[in-house]
Amino acid sequence: ADDKVKVIAAELVSQVADVTKVWTLREDAWPRTRILVKCILNRYGYPTDSLAAAVTKVLAQAELLSAGRAEG
């Protein structure tokens, strides 16, 4: 299970990092990112009862990542 989480995390970081670069430029990036995260989690069989909370958490982390990039 831990290996699966590592794979999911690596893919999320890779995919979401690319999208967060355009958050400040395009308003439609946020909903697209939400869909992207849901698709990745679904692909790896993430439990549907926990999906909404996981998406929210990933997006919050992505927002922090994006803010950190903007500062530095």
Side-chain angles (χ1 to χ4, degrees):
D2 286 341
D3 290 337
K4 190 174 185 178
V5 171
K6 288 177 186 177
V7 171
I8 294 170
E11 186 167 348
L12 285 169
V13 167
S14 171
Q15 296 294 321
V16 173
D18 289 340
V19 176
T20 57
K21 293 175 187 175
V22 297
W23 274 0
T24 57
L25 303 175
R26 296 180 52 185
E27 290 182 25
D28 66 338
W30 184 260
R32 285 182 174 186
T33 305
R34 180 175 289 281
I35 292 168
L36 175 68
V37 171
K38 284 182 182 180
C39 288
I40 292 170
L41 293 174
N42 281 327
R43 184 178 321 133
Y44 289 99
Y46 200 85
T48 55
D49 59 337
S50 304
L51 191 63
V55 169
T56 301
K57 187 177 275 189
V58 168
L59 292 176
Q61 291 295 318
E63 196 169 12
L64 290 173
L65 175 68
S66 179
R69 285 188 177 156
E71 292 174 2

